[in-house]
Amino acid sequence: MNIVVGVTGGIAAYKTVQLVRLLIKAGHEVTVVPTEDALRFVGLPTWEAISRNTVTTSVHDDVERVRHVALGQAADLVIVAPATANTIAKMAAGLADDLLGTTLLATTAPVTIAPAMHTEMWRHPSTQANIATLRERGVHILGPGDGELTGGDSGPGRMLEPEEIFEHALALLAPQDLAGRAVVVSAGGTREPIDPVRFLGNRSSGRQGAALAAEAAARGAQVVLVAANISADVLVVARHPQVEVRPVGTAAELGDAMRDAAASADVVIMAAAVADYRPAAAADQKLTKEDGVLDRIDLVENEDVVAGLAAARRPDQIVVAFAAETLADPDARRERARRKRDRKGVDLLVVNRADAEHGFENAHNAVEVVGDGGSIVAEGSGSKRDVASLIWDAVLNLSQQRSTL
């Protein structure tokens, strides 16, 4: 693919070097188009060395090729990272006073931007109005994230990390094989209160579920993401016009939300880690040592949400469950997965490794997808977005076999 990476004058430009490197390593042809201000942060020799292409900021260079429009015409994708408030305003107004501006006006390729600025600038009504204008025109907005900013400030305005931008941007080139489909995905981990400040929970970050939602939306689906206690920096991965986020806390709340969303869904994926048990009663006040030693918490079993969804599913609906496994022996792991698939009654069971390098709180995952008869219909490892793509491919393969979608 021919990808144009626009770089504007923000300190986050240093991150874009890694983004270009990722695109090159993935086999894409990359042309970097910086603004003059961007070169104050990262110099022209760096961009040329990383991209392996000539870099210029002027519309007057390479005139014989009409470079100021040729770049946009030849692009399969345009990424602007970082996108400053000034550049966003110029894009919204249709200004083209440099090579990046003319490239953006000349392209019909998907355009995605990764805003980066201080919180006050991001929240300013002018910036928000410009963002709304760009969204209406089909520009894809990635972030910003919430975190540490230049000068010790903190808040929304931080550019997403290069790996996130890479995965999101390339998803724009994904096949639209889920177009017109409605899907619901659960993500995160439920929390069962012991008292107002303590809970029974698990280590699930929600990253895999958020990646599943993002991948489905990129492939054309309308998505409901039922998010159980997911942090803002994880949820930003699933930020997409076709993703509706419904936050929940407990297993009971998740069950209610999933049943409601599943009623109109073609595919249901239960990626959340749902607590098997909850305290029989939660204390109204914080339990303290002054109350005596807490040597017992009476537990009651939570409903099996995914088994209930599978039992109630329509003939044309596909239900997918997840099972985190720590067993190192692959044969034992697969046998347990087969039993669990049969017990839950789901169409597919995704077995994900839970170890030091994969699964909970990790950027990578390794999965096996168990289908009819206990067969392994797909397996692979990689980033959670890679795994999400593999899982959706398995869902589509099953739907094609059954001719249900």
Side-chain angles (χ1 to χ4, degrees):
M1 296 289 184
N2 291 316
I3 299 177
V4 172
V5 176
V7 188
T8 69
I11 186 63
Y14 79 91
K15 293 184 178 180
T16 311
V17 175
Q18 175 64 6
L19 172 62
V20 173
R21 184 186 296 277
L22 290 170
L23 292 168
I24 293 292
K25 288 178 67 175
H28 300 286
E29 182 73 15
V30 180
T31 301
V32 178
V33 181
T35 63
E36 285 290 342
D37 282 340
L39 295 181
R40 294 175 176 267
F41 295 93
V42 179
L44 186 146
T46 298
W47 296 123
E48 290 190 336
I50 295 296
S51 70
R52 307 168 193 170
N53 277 316
T54 300
V55 173
T56 181
T57 64
S58 174
V59 298
H60 304 295
D61 292 337
D62 203 7
V63 175
E64 68 276 10
R65 290 186 57 242
V66 199
R67 185 178 178 85
H68 69 287
V69 295
L71 284 175
Q73 291 172 336
D76 296 303
L77 174 66
V78 179
I79 306 170
V80 182
T84 60
N86 181 59
T87 295
I88 290 169
K90 289 168 67 174
M91 289 177 68
L95 297 181
D97 57 354
D98 58 13
L99 185 58
L100 178 57
T102 59
T103 298
L104 288 165
L105 286 186
T107 192
T108 58
V111 175
T112 185
I113 68 171
M117 64 198 75
H118 277 269
T119 300
E120 294 81 2
M121 299 174 71
W122 171 248
R123 289 175 171 165
H124 194 282
S126 294
T127 302
Q128 291 303 304
N130 291 332
I131 288 291
T133 295
L134 294 181
R135 278 203 175 102
E136 289 174 2
R137 294 176 186 167
V139 174
H140 301 268
I141 315 298
L142 303 183
D146 192 325
E148 186 175 350
L149 305 171
T150 306
D153 294 340
S154 183
R158 181 183 177 89
M159 189 176 93
L160 298 187
E161 295 305 309
E163 293 77 11
E164 293 178 281
I165 299 171
F166 171 76
E167 292 187 2
H168 273 280
L170 291 188
L172 298 177
L173 304 176
Q176 296 300 289
D177 46 12
L178 289 171
R181 312 304 176 190
V183 307
V184 55
V185 179
S186 71
T190 61
R191 296 178 179 179
E192 311 302 321
I194 297 171
D195 62 20
V197 298
R198 299 181 181 90
F199 59 85
L200 297 179
N202 55 69
R203 293 173 50 201
S204 178
S205 66
R207 285 186 172 86
Q208 186 62 76
L212 282 161
E215 178 70 12
R219 292 164 75 155
Q222 291 291 330
V223 184
V224 172
L225 175 61
V226 177
N229 306 295
I230 299 179
S231 64
D233 65 319
V234 172
L235 273 181
V236 74
V237 171
R239 188 176 294 172
H240 190 285
Q242 290 165 212
V243 176
E244 175 193 351
V245 178
R246 299 183 185 178
V248 297
T250 66
E253 292 170 353
L254 183 140
D256 289 341
M258 288 298 291
R259 281 187 292 272
D260 179 67
S264 57
D266 299 298
V267 182
V268 177
I269 297 186
M270 179 70 82
V274 182
D276 293 323
Y277 300 93
R278 69 181 185 276
D284 294 331
Q285 303 292 326
K286 178 185 174 183
L287 300 174
T288 70
K289 292 181 178 179
E290 293 178 354
D291 301 319
V293 176
L294 181 64
D295 58 0
R296 175 183 175 131
I297 299 177
D298 292 325
L299 300 177
V300 295
E301 189 172 1
N302 282 322
E303 67 168 319
D304 192 327
V305 176
V306 73
L309 292 170
R313 69 180 178 276
R314 305 185 309 272
D316 62 345
Q317 190 178 59
I318 291 176
V319 177
V320 182
F322 267 67
E325 291 290 351
T326 57
L327 291 173
D329 178 43
D331 292 333
R333 189 169 62 243
R334 290 176 179 178
E335 184 55 36
R336 179 181 288 180
R338 292 184 180 103
R339 294 196 303 270
K340 187 167 188 176
R341 177 185 175 275
D342 292 342
R343 188 171 67 252
K344 302 286 186 181
V346 297
D347 299 289
L348 297 172
L349 181 77
V350 180
V351 186
N352 61 301
R353 295 281 298 276
D355 56 29
E357 297 179 355
H358 304 96
F360 291 171
E361 298 181 327
N362 284 296
H364 293 81
N365 210 351
V367 302
E368 297 168 319
V369 183
V370 181
D372 289 339
S375 61
I376 305 299
V377 299
E379 60 182 311
S381 62
S383 72
K384 293 195 171 177
R385 189 57 177 267
D386 291 337
V387 169
S389 179
L390 176 151
I391 292 168
W392 281 117
D393 285 346
V395 169
L396 284 166
N397 286 339
L398 177 60
S399 70
Q400 289 166 4
Q401 292 169 15
R402 297 181 178 180
S403 300
T404 59
L405 298 185

